[in-house]
Amino acid sequence: MLLKPFTDYLLLEKNYAALTVNAYQNDLESFLEFIKSEYETNSIDKVNYPQIRSWIVILVEQGLSNRSINRKISALNTYYKFLLKIEEITKNPLSKHKVLKTNKKIQIPFSEDEIMTVLNDMYFEKNFEGIRNKLIIELFYSTGIRRIELIELKLTNVNLHNKTLKVLGKRNKERIVPLLESVAQTINKYLTARSKLESITDADRLFLTKKGIKIYETLVYRIINDYFSLASSKVKKSPHILRHSFATHLLNKGADLNAVKELLGHSSLAATQVYTHNSITELKKVHISAHPRSKT
């Protein structure tokens, strides 16, 4: 299996995020284990579609969701496309595969009251971690950045003079997002607390643990979940829901869809339009209250 050339291709040519590449690698290794066990072969490139189909059946029987199975098959399909590109194979066994049907997930954003309760009424300790945690929540809600984008922020990405933040998004695409004055003030407080850490290993990173190393995904998720569990009864409380709330609240207030697209770092309007369904209720209120015929 040409795993190393494939992962290099994803990282260097396709500009995939390291986490995505790792996920693809894990999925391929999982499939390789399956064909070794079931078909006594180490050659993914020699596999036919019925054999892949039998893997799908096993994954279904194991209780994996259709969404998770589709992701695994997508990784395998991307590998076969790579093999076609370098002329290692002449036919993609997944060329006629149809993805499994999935139910569309409706993400329920936090309400403005829930977010204001966390930011204005919640007690954040005055130590390094308390200031950091508040800044993380403020940045998610005021900029709409993704969790991985926040984790990868560097000190040099922050421009307090211009009140802007440089964000490195998907496919290594940079975008500049504005910072609210209140967020800039919290950044200043955080930088002061950060400078007092006993030791710093990842000096170039903006967000650190109290041990001076770069923050990690599960920590960021835990911060959001812990604070919002005190203010919201919603089942899902994650960084993505804060990003979702950012977009929905802007659209509810009449923000231009293209502007929100740029702030979110989407490559197409279609990706941004998924957030508009929550704003329909607000639009109906405006329509009913403002339209001349609404009272007749």
Side-chain angles (χ1 to χ4, degrees):
M1 184 167 67
L2 301 175
L3 189 56
K4 182 63 164 60
F6 175 60
T7 55
D8 287 345
Y9 164 73
L10 294 181
L11 285 168
L12 303 176
E13 290 193 39
K14 302 293 287 184
N15 288 325
Y16 278 27
L19 287 173
T20 302
V21 175
N22 286 338
Y24 274 38
Q25 181 173 332
N26 291 337
D27 291 335
L28 288 175
E29 289 173 347
S30 174
F31 179 63
L32 184 60
E33 286 299 315
F34 169 77
I35 61 173
K36 280 182 181 177
S37 171
E38 295 294 319
Y39 300 105
E40 297 182 349
T41 178
N42 291 322
S43 301
I44 290 181
D45 56 323
K46 300 292 195 302
V47 169
N48 57 40
Y49 183 69
Q51 291 171 323
I52 298 173
R53 185 68 186 171
S54 66
W55 186 47
I56 295 173
V57 171
I58 293 293
L59 295 175
V60 171
E61 291 175 348
Q62 290 175 349
L64 265 70
S65 68
N66 285 3
R67 191 178 300 275
S68 295
I69 294 171
N70 284 340
R71 194 205 71 230
K72 290 178 179 295
I73 299 304
S74 175
L76 190 57
N77 191 34
T78 303
Y79 180 65
Y80 283 128
K81 287 180 179 179
F82 168 71
L83 293 181
L84 278 173
K85 180 182 175 69
I86 63 173
E87 300 181 346
E88 284 290 323
I89 59 174
T90 58
K91 184 180 178 181
N92 182 350
L94 283 167
S95 59
K96 295 184 179 179
H97 172 75
K98 293 183 178 179
V99 297
L100 304 182
K101 290 184 178 180
T102 58
N103 294 322
K104 287 189 175 180
K105 288 184 177 180
I106 298 178
Q107 304 282 2
I108 302 175
F110 296 120
S111 68
E112 291 183 39
D113 285 343
E114 287 172 332
I115 292 175
M116 294 310 148
T117 295
V118 171
L119 289 176
N120 297 337
D121 301 331
M122 201 72 72
Y123 176 70
F124 290 90
E125 292 185 271
K126 304 301 180 184
N127 58 17
F128 168 76
E129 289 185 317
I131 297 169
R132 180 202 63 194
N133 294 350
K134 183 176 184 182
L135 176 57
I136 285 173
I137 295 170
E138 285 188 344
L139 270 183
F140 275 134
Y141 182 57
S142 66
T143 67
I145 61 176
R146 302 175 177 92
R147 173 166 51 175
I148 190 62
E149 292 172 344
L150 180 134
I151 290 170
E152 296 297 332
L153 283 175
K154 296 182 178 180
L155 284 172
T156 53
N157 293 143
V158 181
N159 188 326
L160 289 175
H161 177 72
N162 292 328
K163 293 187 177 60
T164 58
L165 186 71
K166 183 189 293 183
V167 180
L168 186 63
K170 290 184 176 180
R171 309 291 192 271
N172 288 330
K173 184 180 177 182
E174 286 187 352
R175 68 184 187 278
I176 304 295
V177 296
L179 292 172
L180 299 174
E181 175 61 35
S182 59
V183 178
Q185 291 176 9
T186 307
I187 290 176
N188 268 320
K189 291 178 183 176
Y190 168 73
L191 292 177
T192 299
R194 182 185 181 282
S195 67
K196 296 177 182 177
L197 290 175
E198 288 186 10
S199 64
I200 295 179
T201 302
D202 299 316
D204 63 325
R205 302 292 173 169
L206 176 62
F207 285 109
L208 304 174
T209 68
K210 64 181 180 181
K211 294 181 179 179
I213 61 174
K214 171 182 151 183
I215 58 170
Y216 46 95
E217 291 219 354
T218 52
L219 173 60
V220 176
Y221 178 86
R222 190 165 66 243
I223 289 168
I224 302 304
N225 187 67
D226 288 352
Y227 281 98
F228 278 90
S229 291
L230 301 173
S232 174
S233 59
K234 289 180 174 61
V235 174
K236 189 170 182 180
K237 297 173 279 287
S238 68
H240 183 72
I241 297 299
L242 265 178
R243 174 175 164 86
H244 190 54
S245 305
F246 162 82
T248 301
H249 295 173
L250 282 181
L251 290 167
N252 284 349
K253 298 295 184 182
D256 177 71
L257 189 62
N258 275 298
V260 176
K261 166 184 169 290
E262 294 301 318
L263 289 168
L264 291 171
H266 284 158
S267 57
S268 69
L269 270 179
T272 313
Q273 284 171 333
V274 301
Y275 299 106
T276 60
H277 74 275
N278 287 296
S279 63
I280 293 299
T281 302
E282 297 299 320
L283 289 174
K284 285 180 178 177
K285 290 178 184 177
V286 172
H287 185 258
I288 291 171
S289 64
H291 198 280
R293 295 283 293 171
S294 64
K295 302 297 190 293
T296 60

